Amino acid sequence: MKILVCISKTPDTTAKIAFVEGNTKFDETGVQWIINPYDEWYSLVKAIELKEKDPSVIIHLVTVGGADTEPIIRKALALGGDEAIRINNVTNDSLTVAQEISSIAKEGAYDLIFTGKETIDYNSASIGSMLCALLDINFISAATKLDLNGNTISVTREIEGGEEISETNLPAIVSCQKGMAEQRIPNMRGIMAARTKPLKVLEATVTQATTNIKQFSLPPTKSGVKLVDPANMDELVRLLKEEAKVI
Amino acid sequence: MVLIYIDQDNQEIKKASLEAISYGSALAKQLGTSAEGLVLGTVHDDLTTLGKYGASKVHQINNASLNHFDARTNSNVIAEAAKKLGATVLIFAHNINGKAVAPAVSVKLNAGIVTGACQLPNTDTGFVVTKTVFSGKAFASIQIETPIKVISINQNSFGEVVGDGVAVIENLAIDVPTSTLKITSVNKIEGEIPLTEASLVVSGGRGLKGPENWGILLDLAKALGASTACSRPVSDSDWRPHHEHVGQTGIQIAPNLYIAIGISGAIQHLAGVNRSKTIVVINKDPEAPFFKAADYGVIGDAFDVVPALTASILKAKHGA
Ligand SMILES: Cc1cc2nc3c(=O)[nH]c(=O)nc-3n(C[C@H](O)[C@H](O)[C@H](O)COP(=O)(O)OP(=O)(O)OC[C@H]3O[C@@H](n4cnc5c(N)ncnc54)[C@H](O)[C@@H]3O)c2cc1C
């Protein structure tokens, strides 16, 4: 049983969002980088849980990015996973990322491919779905629970207003979100072990992007809060009706 | 032609798709072409009514096996339909199913894609789509470089535009591959509006102290006809179910009204709700960061303010 876990590097959730070079580039000054929370807390930990149940499970991590993603990959390896692959392609184009991962996936003949539900920077939520088309295997998105029985998985996914449970044979792609697993903190033994785990670097093979970011912008700042006397809720109701017109 | 994917759930058209049709039809006008819908499977709704949102035609693949959603099968079928119909732009709602299929369809059509768009593309020079990034903290304007384009639009970012058109229904014959995904059960929470579709949301945080105190919040939600949400520590502590967790690592919503009760307004929480049209914050701490993101604020104890607000709403409703 081989699992491929897709890992993305994202700015910390509290990072200041600002842009440089005429609003064409994210300002990385002082930004702390983390493993995309969906990739770390849910995909990776779920893969580790499967390996804890069955030690013959092999976990590979893959990331698409420059050398600056290596601390993130080492941190992921400290949590778990046997080895990592970095594809040296710096891009914002989801299709480029998916194409790079799909060639690794084809070669590695993985039974399960995990992605996070989305990344918290570009929020594209695209990689799992693109891999479904590129590899022509089943894809279950927004998964909150997964049980493995031999060559079959039973997966619970979120749907609007509830949940749906489905079954498929492997291989399959699953995008993971809250519920799938519980966040873990790497321990000292994991951190030491991560230093010597293999991290393979492969050169980029995809060069043609289908999209290009032209410009970033920030939302307009709110004009300021209007305070309402806590003893006068009739006034708040009036404002919501007549001024905001939302009720 | 602009082709809009019409998502169904249990043979009923989803609300998010009506907004997608409105968006697709505005874009079609801008491009001087037609807006046409695509329905997979059999549905109970009268498809001619989709004309109201601007679809001149609705193509239906009348195959009941498509009533169960399968990302792989659906994306194959949608891509085949788009080729057969000669669509140049495809529109999806950025809802659960839209997110699962739109990127796969873009691969099959060699089309560039922008997911989570929040306004109509700029087509003056090229084709530039603006989407939310950094969980609503910024926007990116993205040029699509390919002849065929795919867009998924954020829910509640464009709105439904209702006119008086009537759509023509056409049957579309497409070979449907056999799905290898078996749906074993569906559990719906009865009588609840899905958070992503709700126009009014009442949300509670750690300030409510414990699950036993949620009654005042539920009463307010009931008086308004609102859905309920919560902050992450609240769902982590199992005071409320996980599907109510909003924020950067939960659900992102954009209702018309978001009322935050006893929530401090941490940056990760704001990331999930900052696209709400109107935000009301009820917090006893005047320094709570949430007030900076609010339109209306009430500095006070939730245990007094919330029941008073509920009473005022009921009073206004009954015209007393
Ligand atoms: C990577 C990461 C991701 C995260 N993702 C999310 C996310 O998706 N969603 C999310 O919500 N959080 C998220 N968090 C957590 C976030 O940082 C905050 O810890 C959390 O939002 C705080 O929840 P809260 O406002 O309910 O509680 P608190 O911060 O404890 O705030 C409680 C508030 O209640 C007020 N209060 C107390 N008593 C009363 C009263 N009687 N009447 C009125 N007001 C009262 C207090 O003044 C205070 O402002 C994330 C954190 C990290 C690190």
Side-chain angles (χ1 to χ4, degrees):
Chain A
M1 169 90 187
K2 282 178 81 181
I3 306 176
L4 182 66
V5 179
C6 304
I7 299 284
S8 179
K9 174 189 109 169
T10 59
D12 177 64
T13 52
T14 55
K16 183 175 181 305
I17 305 303
F19 303 98
V20 291
E21 294 178 27
N23 287 328
T24 59
K25 266 194 75 188
F26 175 60
D27 184 358
E28 299 190 354
T29 323
V31 169
Q32 296 263 16
W33 297 94
I34 59 170
I35 308 171
N36 179 43
Y38 292 105
D39 304 347
E40 176 186 340
W41 303 350
Y42 310 123
S43 310
L44 177 56
V45 177
K46 184 67 201 185
I48 294 168
E49 284 178 1
L50 292 173
K51 190 181 171 86
E52 284 166 352
K53 274 198 201 135
D54 173 2
S56 72
V57 168
I58 295 168
I59 303 173
H60 287 179
L61 314 182
V62 63
T63 195
V64 178
D68 58 348
T69 57
E70 291 197 357
I72 295 302
I73 272 283
R74 289 279 174 213
K75 187 180 165 209
L77 285 170
L79 280 161
D82 299 292
E83 57 179 81
I85 304 155
R86 174 171 74 82
I87 305 163
N88 190 31
N89 193 338
V90 181
T91 175
N92 284 323
D93 185 50
S94 301
L95 181 59
T96 304
V97 173
Q99 283 169 328
E100 295 286 15
I101 294 174
S102 80
S103 40
I104 298 297
K106 275 179 197 153
E107 234 164 75
Y110 296 94
D111 302 285
L112 256 176
I113 301 175
F114 283 150
T115 73
K117 181 182 83 158
E118 63 181 57
T119 57
I120 62 166
D121 50 5
Y122 292 99
N123 308 114
S124 291
S126 296
I127 303 301
S129 176
M130 286 177 168
L131 288 173
C132 167
L134 292 165
L135 300 169
D136 196 25
I137 59 177
N138 280 343
F139 169 49
I140 302 171
S141 70
T144 56
K145 191 169 183 286
L146 180 147
D147 292 310
L148 173 69
N149 312 299
N151 192 42
T152 308
I153 48 170
S154 171
V155 181
T156 305
R157 73 163 183 138
E158 180 199 340
I159 57 173
E160 278 88 9
E163 57 180 34
E164 181 182 87
I165 305 173
S166 56
E167 273 178 20
T168 174
N169 286 338
L170 300 178
I173 305 154
V174 178
S175 81
C176 307
Q177 63 165 334
K178 188 169 185 176
M180 200 64 166
E182 293 285 339
Q183 181 182 1
R184 292 188 182 183
I185 313 285
N187 57 32
M188 209 51 212
R189 201 149 56 92
I191 295 168
M192 296 306 285
R195 292 194 187 155
T196 52
K197 287 181 183 173
L199 196 169
K200 201 159 66 183
V201 180
L202 300 177
E203 274 322 304
T205 55
V206 184
T207 49
Q208 187 73 26
T210 53
T211 59
N212 268 307
I213 296 180
K214 291 277 158 198
Q215 184 114 51
F216 289 102
S217 56
L218 293 170
T221 45
K222 288 252 176 192
S223 53
V225 57
K226 195 176 253 184
L227 289 177
V228 181
D229 179 358
N232 191 359
M233 284 302 100
D234 286 352
E235 172 63 2
L236 180 58
V237 173
R238 189 192 67 77
L239 288 167
L240 293 176
K241 263 188 177 266
E242 293 171 16
E243 194 176 79
K245 299 192 173 65
V246 287
I247 59 173
Chain B
M1 184 259 284
V2 176
L3 187 65
I4 303 121
Y5 171 65
I6 295 163
D7 191 17
Q8 61 138 309
D9 177 30
N10 202 12
Q11 296 183 269
E12 281 174 31
I13 290 173
K14 285 198 198 155
K15 193 170 175 291
S17 295
L18 305 179
E19 184 180 24
I21 301 171
S22 301
Y23 178 91
S25 109
L27 175 58
K29 274 203 196 91
Q30 190 175 318
L31 297 170
T33 180
S34 64
E36 303 179 13
L38 176 66
V39 173
L40 272 56
T42 55
V43 287
H44 299 311
D45 305 64
D46 174 5
L47 294 177
T48 60
T49 62
L50 298 180
K52 284 197 298 193
Y53 305 93
S56 58
K57 275 185 200 167
V58 175
H59 304 276
Q60 184 175 21
I61 306 167
N62 235 318
N63 184 329
S65 72
L66 290 169
N67 293 347
H68 292 296
F69 180 83
D70 168 9
R72 185 179 172 202
T73 307
N74 283 36
S75 57
N76 274 319
V77 168
I78 297 165
E80 283 313 309
K83 283 183 202 161
K84 200 163 182 176
L85 297 167
T88 51
V89 183
L90 280 88
I91 306 294
F92 295 81
H94 195 53
N95 63 354
I96 299 270
N97 289 348
K99 288 177 191 175
V101 289
V105 170
S106 79
V107 168
K108 290 175 186 294
L109 297 176
N110 297 315
I113 181 170
V114 173
T115 58
C118 56
Q119 45 183 264
L120 284 170
N122 183 335
T123 52
D124 294 344
T125 56
F127 197 101
V128 179
V129 188
T130 298
K131 68 164 291 185
T132 50
V133 287
F134 297 101
S135 310
K137 286 177 243 171
F139 303 104
S141 299
I142 301 175
Q143 164 89 26
I144 302 184
E145 311 280 3
T146 50
I148 299 177
K149 282 108 179 152
V150 178
I151 301 173
S152 70
I153 75 145
N154 267 340
Q155 285 177 261
N156 292 332
S157 64
F158 188 76
E160 291 166 25
V161 183
V162 186
D164 51 11
V166 177
V168 176
I169 303 167
E170 294 197 348
N171 270 316
L172 185 64
I174 299 274
D175 287 336
V176 178
T178 312
S179 169
T180 55
L181 188 79
K182 195 172 101 210
I183 294 175
T184 51
S185 77
V186 176
N187 308 316
K188 280 289 182 75
I189 304 143
E190 284 309 321
E192 236 176 76
I193 310 167
L195 256 184
T196 47
E197 288 183 6
S199 56
L200 307 174
V201 174
V202 178
S203 185
R206 208 145 49 176
L208 283 177
K209 310 281 190 288
E212 65 282 4
N213 297 326
W214 240 257
I216 53 168
L217 186 150
L218 298 177
D219 288 344
L220 173 59
K222 194 161 165 239
L224 280 167
S227 295
T228 51
C230 67
S231 69
R232 179 167 160 229
V234 166
S235 71
D236 280 354
S237 317
D238 286 327
W239 296 0
R240 297 296 298 166
H242 283 312
H243 68 259
E244 286 196 2
H245 161 198
V246 293
Q248 189 146 20
T249 50
I251 300 175
Q252 281 97 48
I253 55 173
N256 288 335
L257 175 63
Y258 183 76
I259 303 183
I261 303 166
I263 302 176
S264 58
I267 191 161
Q268 298 94 352
H269 184 84
L270 295 180
V273 302
N274 55 11
R275 291 187 296 113
S276 309
K277 298 220 166 60
T278 298
I279 294 179
V280 175
V281 169
I282 300 171
N283 198 306
K284 69 174 184 191
D285 174 11
E287 302 296 325
F290 218 147
F291 284 116
K292 289 202 182 71
D295 299 283
Y296 302 103
V298 183
I299 300 168
D301 190 323
F303 294 98
D304 304 327
V305 172
V306 175
L309 176 58
T310 306
S312 294
I313 285 162
L314 291 174
K315 196 168 76 180
K317 231 186 190 167
H318 301 128

